[in-house]
Amino acid sequence: MARKVTENHLSPREERLKKAARFYKRLLAVFMATAIICASGLAYLWFWLERYESHSINGAIRSYLKLVEEENWDKLYDIDIRYFTELNTREAYTEYLRSIYSGKKIEDMRYSFDSSDGLSEYYALHYDYYVMAALELNREDIQGEYHVRTVGTSEQKFFYVLDDDINFTINGVNVTDDLFYSTPDEELPAFAEYDLEYRIPTGKRYVINSLVAEPTVRGTSSDVICVKDYTSTGYYIGHTCDAEQASSFGADMYDTAVAYCKFVTRDGPRYNITSKCYPNTPFYNLVSTFDNSWVTDHDSISFDNVKVYDLISIGENAFIGTISFDYKLIADDITGTYSQAYQMFFVRNGQNYWKLLNMAIISDSVNVETDS
């Protein structure tokens, strides 16, 4: 006889519990699926926000200023040397960052586009209605991330190489065309504003925006010299003068400096200095109209500790040099010692004489002593 199989019947309460379990199981599955979708969406959104922060100018600057707000100077320098050709030492650069950012509120800073040199873009950084610094931004390609650094101001410094065979460094970094923007055949600013009768040689110009302190510029060979132009933001890099040139240039500089000082102190006539100047230039006109009647009478004048340095020949028709000296004015028992340093710019005139084109006073101090 076949065995009868009986079905187990759930009680109403058990049936409700079973249905509730199935409902919550489905609800949990929906919740987990939704959570995964939301997490994926948030991750995707985070990815694009992060991409925006580094791939847009506004985002890159905000990220940079956040590090500034945290005063993470070493990290800022490490980013700098990773993505830029850094010409400043860590100590000089981090001290500079502290000097301009410390104590300032990041939320009060504003920035605006300033210029572009073809390799980087520069933004003026405003704070309290003045430009406190400039930010440089670059990226490797049009789809790449923006990298940011502080470059002080957007004022450019120009380095003019006078001969094709010259190589040089700035703070130990080799300056080459693949690292820095350059243009050939540029006029030298010391001579560009004058209507000269002959052509002053041009130079290959490198444009540098990133210096926060006075640079150390050296040639890669011992016969190369760099001279700073104190009348502009230019530097001239050429071959050193030979002994004959140095002697000749030094003599002209000394004679001209003495004539200038003696005229100012009424120890020599105006003609002695105007005859040594290139005519119809601003400096010539200044000397021609200068009033030296205020000088106190004195008994004697002398020149001591004369040094000539930073001599550089600009082709065959111009040269630049610096002369320093002490000249003393003695009146009775009072001696005034004037310590001077002049950068002098000479050109050759049509009669083949060297004439002073311009002069910059780069040091001027006085010490007065009374005999006891």
Side-chain angles (χ1 to χ4, degrees), residues 51-61 63-64 79 83-84 119-121 123 136-149:
R51 181 179 174 84
Y52 170 78
E53 284 295 303
S54 59
H55 285 71
S56 73
I57 291 173
N58 292 331
I61 291 178
S63 296
Y64 179 83
I79 292 173
Y83 296 111
F84 297 88
L119 298 176
S120 297
E121 294 184 0
Y123 285 76
E136 178 183 0
L137 283 80
N138 72 11
R139 54 182 177 178
E140 295 177 357
D141 56 71
I142 196 170
Q143 299 297 327
E145 295 183 5
Y146 276 104
H147 309 295
V148 186
R149 69 168 169 177

Side-chain angles (χ1 to χ4, degrees), residues 184-219:
D185 301 325
E186 292 285 343
E187 286 187 292
L188 310 185
F191 305 96
E193 297 180 2
Y194 303 95
D195 184 18
L196 300 174
E197 299 173 357
Y198 37 78
R199 183 171 181 268
I200 300 295
T202 59
K204 183 178 185 179
R205 185 181 70 180
Y206 289 89
V207 183
I208 308 294
N209 297 72
S210 60
L211 295 167
V212 300
E214 191 64 30
T216 299
V217 185
R218 293 193 174 94

